[in-house]
Amino acid sequence: MSIAGISELAAELRRIVGPDGVLSAAGEMLVYECDGFVVEKDTPDVVVFPRTTEHVRQIVLLCRRRQVPFVPRGAGTGLAGGSLPVGGGVLIVLTRMREIVEINLRDRYAVVQPGVVNVKLTERLRGTGFHYAPDPSSQGSCTIGGNVATNSGGPHTLKYGVTVNHVLGLEAVMADGTVCEFGGPSEDLPGLDLTGALVGSEGTLVVVTKVWVRLTRDAQSVRTMLGIFESCDDATAAISDIIAAGIIPAALEMMDHGILEALEQAFHFGFPLDAQAILIIEVDGLEAGLDAQRERITAICQAHHAREVRHANGPAERIALWKARKQAFGAVGRISPSYCTQDGVVPRTRLPHMLRKITEITARHGVRAVNVFHAGDGNLHPIVLFDEKNADEMRRALDASNEILDECLACGGSVSGEHGIGIEKIDFMPKMFTADDLDAMSRLRQAFNSEGLLSPKKMLPTAGACSAERSHPGRRAAV
Ligand SMILES: Cc1cc2nc3c(=O)[nH]c(=O)nc-3n(C[C@H](O)[C@H](O)[C@H](O)COP(=O)(O)OP(=O)(O)OC[C@H]3O[C@@H](n4cnc5c(N)ncnc54)[C@H](O)[C@@H]3O)c2cc1C
């Protein structure tokens, strides 16, 4: 867009949201040139911060009138480039829509604006006997709107499910500027489940402006354990056996030696640095029976040569353990300037194979990966380390990442468990889905977003996004 065009657009947007709600200076755009997937970068022409649904509606109508692409963004913690403004346009940042509109404990739901940071709802509900179950490791910064758009999971997904299992309804601004409601506070509405279709649509179908979320009763009791293992094989074999024994832990997370090293450097939690892997295992529910489950899990870990199974001694130790887990990605900054987090899923029994493969693949490409992941779901997060100033190293890191995802597919798995496809994994869509599947998805997008102005070139290769085109508007970090 020309400089004159940008300043005209910015002026029109300021008339909608006020003078402090628009950014358009080139330097200010740099903050918004990528999300947590730092490999692809592209700056928006203008960034706008609506505070109401009516603001969003008017912004969308303006973009439509001017035929300018627009992309919704929450906190920008996404790891697949979902909020990347490919080719420019207007970035609609929803972080000023951060009101918790209603908490209804009797009917067990809350209504929130999309920019509410996930942990703020947890904090508001503390002491009520209820909580909002989806707890991505990024919950201290990511927004509920972003969680809805990516269908986020988290450590407690194993027992409690992903975001779609906790969304009762949505208010959204459609790509043509109309405001619609889907679902609502009541359970089990008849008709097509459009709420289900919108959750996980990665900002390509609607701009979410309000969310009805289900509240879950707090468990009566909880037991948290730390299993310490001499090898990743033993740790992953223990995971399969725990689930095979009929126990569904609330959470079952694994961290390997590399990530423990990074965590220790950053936060000095006191993890054993000579261990090859640790498991954080949590069971919850009625008090009666939890000790028996804990003993069974301990026995299974010991049968797989666990060096030690520590039991968290009270809430303070439990909180410290979870804090460590949730700060693991952040700690990687201590050992590498940049990293790319993969999100493959495999059947649990294939975890030992995949961890060996990750080591083999990364070594062959001359890069290193550390692992912290939702092991109980078979949802791997190999974090491939590189320096984005080194183009060759970045290329090798991406090649290794792609090979890891190919291996997940070969194991009967998936290329994304929770981070979504965004721009990063578009090329994998035809590997996972048939042409007919992709065509059906594309027709759904066409029904919601007929002009293709809402978040173009994301998620579906059929919407004109393919690797050849991607290298065009986007800018690789190191090149
Ligand atoms: C340290 C770290 C740990 C993480 N751990 C987890 C984890 O455990 N589980 C997990 O699932 N993810 C995890 N993530 C990924 C990320 O936090 C999630 O994908 C999160 O849901 C993104 O929220 P956000 O507000 O940052 O959204 P953004 O990154 O801003 O946007 C993500 C996508 O949502 C769309 N979007 C945002 N808001 C709206 C809206 N209101 N309407 C329509 N579309 C919208 C965007 O267009 C984009 O496609 C992690 C990321 C980091 C950096």
Side-chain angles (χ1 to χ4, degrees):
M1 200 183 298
S2 69
I3 294 179
I6 291 174
S7 67
E8 243 179 63
L9 179 62
E12 285 200 70
L13 287 167
R14 279 194 188 95
R15 278 197 282 280
I16 297 172
V17 297
D20 65 342
V22 177
L23 300 176
S24 59
E28 291 167 333
M29 296 300 101
L30 287 179
V31 177
Y32 300 95
E33 67 174 4
C34 68
D35 58 10
F37 178 60
V38 298
V39 172
E40 296 273 350
K41 298 187 173 169
D42 213 342
T43 41
D45 292 312
V46 187
V47 178
V48 60
F49 300 88
R51 289 186 311 280
T52 63
T53 301
E54 177 56 19
H55 282 170
V56 177
R57 189 182 76 82
Q58 289 187 36
I59 293 165
V60 169
L61 286 175
L62 172 64
C63 291
R64 225 186 135 205
R65 198 166 67 245
R66 288 178 152 265
Q67 287 293 291
V68 176
F70 53 100
V71 179
R73 172 171 159 135
T77 66
L79 291 167
S83 59
L84 192 78
V86 180
V90 175
L91 197 61
I92 305 176
V93 180
L94 293 131
T95 48
R96 291 190 190 171
M97 292 180 68
R98 52 171 179 252
E99 195 191 335
I100 297 174
V101 180
E102 183 187 352
I103 292 199
N104 185 328
L105 297 180
R106 283 171 69 90
D107 288 326
R108 297 191 183 187
Y109 70 82
V111 187
V112 299
Q113 287 189 316
V116 169
V117 170
N118 179 300
V119 82
K120 294 286 174 198
L121 184 55
T122 306
E123 285 166 3
R124 247 316 258 289
L125 288 164
R126 195 161 290 140
T128 64
F130 290 89
H131 67 285
Y132 174 56
D135 64 337
S137 308
S138 52
Q139 72 177 147
S141 43
C142 66
T143 65
I144 292 185
N147 298 165
V148 167
T150 52
N151 193 16
S152 280
H156 292 87
T157 289
L158 179 60
K159 181 167 179 185
Y160 291 100
V162 286
T163 299
V164 74
N165 305 116
H166 301 274
V167 173
L168 293 165
L170 298 171
E171 175 196 84
V173 175
M174 315 293 283
D176 67 0
T178 50
V179 179
C180 292
E181 280 186 12
F182 302 88
S186 318
E187 304 267 354
D188 303 328
L189 295 177
L192 295 178
D193 178 14
L194 291 176
T195 310
L198 296 178
V199 176
S201 61
E202 299 189 29
T204 65
L205 301 186
V206 295
V207 182
V208 173
T209 48
K210 207 192 277 178
V211 191
W212 283 259
V213 297
R214 174 177 286 121
L215 301 181
T216 302
R217 192 176 273 288
D218 294 347
Q220 189 184 65
S221 288
V222 57
R223 301 284 187 277
T224 309
M225 291 150 263
L226 178 70
I228 301 169
F229 291 83
E230 309 289 354
S231 81
C232 288
D233 271 6
D234 282 338
T236 45
I239 293 163
S240 295
D241 278 3
I242 290 167
I243 310 271
I247 302 168
I248 303 292
L252 181 35
E253 301 280 299
M254 179 167 154
M255 298 198 263
D256 75 0
H257 178 258
I259 202 86
L260 291 178
E261 228 173 34
L263 264 173
E264 277 308 299
Q265 271 189 37
F267 304 112
H268 317 292
F269 280 110
F271 287 119
L273 284 182
D274 54 342
Q276 287 308 306
I278 62 152
L279 296 181
I280 300 178
I281 311 162
E282 187 158 280
V283 285
D284 69 3
L286 295 176
E287 172 63 28
L290 280 189
D291 281 337
Q293 275 192 42
R294 183 172 67 182
E295 293 324 312
R296 278 184 81 194
I297 289 171
T298 303
I300 292 169
C301 290
Q302 282 163 348
H304 289 285
H305 319 110
R307 181 202 298 177
E308 190 186 348
V309 182
R310 294 183 194 162
H311 298 168
N313 226 338
E317 256 186 55
R318 173 178 181 252
I319 288 167
L321 208 49
W322 279 116
K323 192 170 163 204
R325 164 62 186 91
K326 295 200 172 183
Q327 291 185 335
F329 280 25
V332 175
R334 290 285 173 137
I335 55 171
S336 178
S338 318
Y339 60 85
C340 172
T341 307
Q342 283 311 326
D343 181 34
V345 187
V346 292
R348 271 183 297 268
T349 51
R350 304 295 281 158
L351 284 174
H353 164 79
M354 270 313 299
L355 285 174
R356 283 194 293 271
K357 269 309 239 191
I358 290 168
T359 308
E360 185 254 296
I361 291 169
T362 47
R364 185 154 35 75
H365 288 277
V367 287
R368 183 177 167 222
V370 295
N371 292 283
V372 46
F373 60 101
H374 310 309
D377 306 312
N379 186 187
L380 289 152
H381 290 329
I383 303 174
V384 185
L385 313 178
F386 63 93
D387 181 348
E388 71 175 79
K389 294 198 193 90
N390 180 339
D392 176 58
E393 190 176 54
M394 191 173 85
R395 170 73 48 210
R396 283 184 279 115
L398 292 178
D399 288 347
S401 300
N402 289 342
E403 212 175 312
I404 290 168
L405 291 183
D406 278 330
E407 188 62 29
C408 290
L409 290 179
C411 290
S414 153
V415 296
S416 180
E418 52 183 21
H419 298 165
I421 299 300
I423 188 153
E424 180 199 16
K425 283 175 288 218
I426 281 181
D427 293 346
F428 282 92
M429 291 296 271
K431 296 185 185 180
M432 268 202 79
F433 296 102
T434 66
D436 285 346
D437 292 337
L438 291 174
D439 183 49
M441 291 185 216
S442 182
R443 277 187 282 132
L444 182 69
R445 167 140 76 186
Q446 179 70 15
F448 277 89
N449 181 12
S450 58
E451 294 173 311
L453 289 176
L454 177 50
S455 215
K457 301 192 166 125
K458 304 280 174 52
M459 200 160 94
L460 296 181
T462 43
C466 62
S467 53
E469 258 185 278
R470 264 174 57 196
S471 61
H472 226 351
R475 156 170 94 75
R476 289 275 180 191
V479 292

